[in-house]
Amino acid sequence: MADAWTGICFGEDAWNIPGRAEVVEKFRDLGITHVRLYHTYEATLEAFAGSGIQLTVGITNEDFVNALSTVGSARNWVNTYIVGHGDSNIVAVTVGNEVFSSAVDNVKNALLPSMQNLREALNQAGKSGIKVTTAHSFDVVTNIFPPSSGQFADTGRMQPLVNWLASVGSDFICNIYPYFTYMNSNGQITLQFGRLESGSVKDSNNGKIYTDQGHTAHAFDVVTNTFPPSSGQFADIGRMQPLVNWLASAYIFAMFDENQKDAGLEQSWGLYNPTNFDAKYTINFGNPPTLINRITPGMRLTSGQFVYSNNEVYRLNMQPDCNLVLYHIGVGPLWASKTQGSATDCYMELQHDGNAVVYGGGVARWASGTWGRNDGAHYIEVQDDGNTVMYNEANQAIWHTNTRGR
């Protein structure tokens, strides 16, 4: 993965999950930029429309065999769930989940052809930038301890799939379960090692020292991590922030407890209580600043986030003190919204009505004054010449910081 990020899984197997628009707003408040969905429920996709959040959506094991059996059927699926939701920022599709670990042979055999059909359908629909992949259980690797003994369990099916993913530039996604690895290790793995903290384990085959469990899973592009459940044996092992720090990209499982799953631990993996958003684990998602030079409608800069110019000489920064500031790096500030100290937990949002607004405490603290002037699509660009400009659909400047050449 080129850029490190930490996202979250949003499962919907519960009757008490808040309204989807409210959930999306919570994601944005938390600075979450990547979300994994297991379905393509239309109401959920509509709630994410215009949010700027990058979505990985899923098609289930039960559905993909028929839905993606030919390029034609895959094109129908793409037209409904991808093209039909063009305002939702879908960046990847996972075909099935843990197919090689849980499905019957005909479903396993259909996986790679279905992925190939879906990719061709996306290409035909002009959506070639959307990646096609699948998510594996960690048990596709056998003999995981000591780490040097690890190998794929089903090389006959796995090797062609891995080769294809590499050929099209898609990610290898694996659901890893540090909690279960620790619980089932019979004392071979320390609690610190299982939490991906320091806690060395020696490989008896080659003598290498692994300082945390993350180093044994370095081959994966994207992982889905599970925190300890908040109920059941050893539920108090907590403090799992290291899980979000060790790998390039990860989805944390999961946003909410899901009370329609099987009773027991399966209902207790959520970071947040769905009825009141109370956090069971406090996580700094640690997403890096956006390095692209544009802010598009629906995107939000939260406290501490910023956007660089392409030449990385200028930076538009939403500061923790509530001030939106344009910097010439190494020189100093060029422009500011002058909202410092007016509130806490501030953010700047480029609204769909054409206005860019700094909000703090639920109140607008600054606005660009461009409401109704967007003429359709619009964007803010941090330019290489030092000016930050809002353009309308006709590429006419409708607001700027007047800092060109500074």
Side-chain angles (χ1 to χ4, degrees):
M1 301 296 293
D3 299 307
W5 49 260
T6 301
I8 200 161
C9 299
F10 178 31
E12 301 176 81
D13 290 339
W15 56 262
N16 59 346
I17 290 176
R20 300 308 183 264
E22 188 178 359
V23 173
V24 172
E25 187 70 13
K26 183 66 174 180
F27 288 150
R28 296 174 70 176
D29 289 343
L30 292 169
I32 293 173
T33 57
H34 293 70
V35 171
R36 181 184 174 192
L37 304 176
Y38 295 92
H39 301 275
T40 48
Y41 298 140
E42 298 210 39
T44 303
L45 294 178
E46 289 170 4
F48 278 95
S51 69
I53 294 172
Q54 297 188 33
L55 296 178
T56 291
V57 301
I59 178 168
T60 66
N61 296 0
E62 294 77 18
D63 292 339
F64 81 76
V65 175
N66 291 327
L68 308 179
S69 60
T70 66
V71 173
S73 63
R75 184 64 189 271
N76 291 335
W77 188 90
V78 167
N79 287 340
T80 300
Y81 297 108
I82 305 298
V83 177
H85 293 278
D87 290 336
S88 301
N89 191 14
I90 298 172
V91 298
V93 180
T94 55
V95 178
N97 186 58
E98 302 186 353
V99 172
F100 287 166
S101 301
S102 58
V104 295
D105 280 347
N106 70 304
V107 177
K108 294 177 182 178
N109 293 335
L111 179 59
L112 180 54
S114 296
M115 294 168 66
Q116 293 168 328
N117 290 339
L118 177 57
R119 178 168 171 80
E120 177 58 27
L122 288 167
N123 289 343
Q124 291 181 9
K127 300 291 184 179
S128 59
I130 296 177
K131 293 184 176 182
V132 176
T133 185
T134 188
H136 301 283
S137 169
F138 196 41
D139 65 10
V140 297
V141 179
T142 61
N143 303 322
I144 63 172
F145 198 88
S148 61
S149 299
Q151 59 185 357
F152 284 127
D154 187 350
T155 55
R157 292 188 178 98
M158 184 63 77
Q159 193 63 58
L161 188 146
V162 170
N163 291 345
W164 182 79
L165 289 174
S167 71
V168 299
S170 285
D171 300 319
F172 189 105
I173 299 181
C174 189
N175 304 328
I176 69 169
Y177 306 95
Y179 172 78
F180 288 124
T181 302
Y182 165 72
M183 291 292 292
N184 297 328
S185 69
N186 295 319
Q188 291 181 297
I189 293 177
T190 67
L191 177 57
Q192 290 75 21
F193 186 86
R195 285 205 307 241
L196 309 186
E197 298 175 341
S198 60
S200 298
V201 170
K202 185 175 182 178
D203 190 315
S204 57
N205 287 342
N206 57 24
K208 289 185 177 180
I209 302 296
Y210 293 86
T211 58
D212 61 62
Q213 194 180 160
H215 291 148
T216 71
H218 65 278
F220 307 128
D221 296 311
V222 181
V223 299
T224 298
N225 282 321
T226 52
F227 274 50
S230 57
S231 65
Q233 188 181 18
F234 294 108
D236 62 344
I237 71 172
R239 300 195 311 278
M240 295 296 283
Q241 176 65 38
L243 278 171
V244 304
N245 296 333
W246 63 269
L247 199 64
S249 298
Y251 293 105
I252 302 301
F253 181 83
M255 182 65 181
F256 296 116
D257 288 342
E258 296 176 73
N259 60 16
Q260 290 182 308
K261 286 191 170 183
D262 293 340
L265 293 182
E266 285 298 310
Q267 296 186 1
S268 304
W269 293 102
L271 293 182
Y272 292 88
N273 185 316
T275 59
N276 55 17
F277 285 115
D278 281 351
K280 295 187 292 180
Y281 295 103
T282 301
I283 297 300
N284 174 11
F285 281 88
N287 291 306
T290 304
L291 296 180
I292 59 173
N293 66 328
R294 285 190 180 184
I295 301 171
T296 54
M299 286 184 65
R300 179 180 294 185
L301 287 183
T302 57
S303 177
Q305 291 187 315
F306 47 87
V307 178
Y308 278 120
S309 59
N310 271 331
N311 60 9
E312 299 189 17
V313 173
Y314 301 95
R315 184 180 71 202
L316 184 66
N317 190 9
M318 186 67 247
Q319 298 184 163
D321 66 359
C322 202
N323 210 12
L324 179 68
V325 183
L326 176 65
Y327 286 94
H328 185 165
I329 298 171
V331 177
L334 303 180
W335 173 91
S337 61
K338 299 180 180 179
T339 49
Q340 64 270 22
S342 59
T344 58
D345 297 325
C346 295
Y347 61 89
M348 189 281 286
E349 181 174 343
L350 180 57
Q351 300 180 164
H352 290 274
D353 63 7
N355 223 6
V357 184
V358 172
Y359 287 98
V363 177
R365 305 292 175 173
W366 171 88
S368 60
T370 49
W371 179 86
R373 296 173 56 195
N374 53 313
D375 191 28
H378 57 295
Y379 60 92
I380 294 174
E381 182 169 314
V382 182
Q383 299 183 163
D384 290 351
D385 63 4
N387 212 10
T388 292
V389 185
M390 185 189 300
Y391 291 95
N392 64 11
E393 189 173 32
N395 286 321
Q396 298 170 326
I398 58 176
W399 174 86
H400 61 92
T401 55
N402 195 28
T403 51
R404 181 178 179 182
R406 292 172 57 186

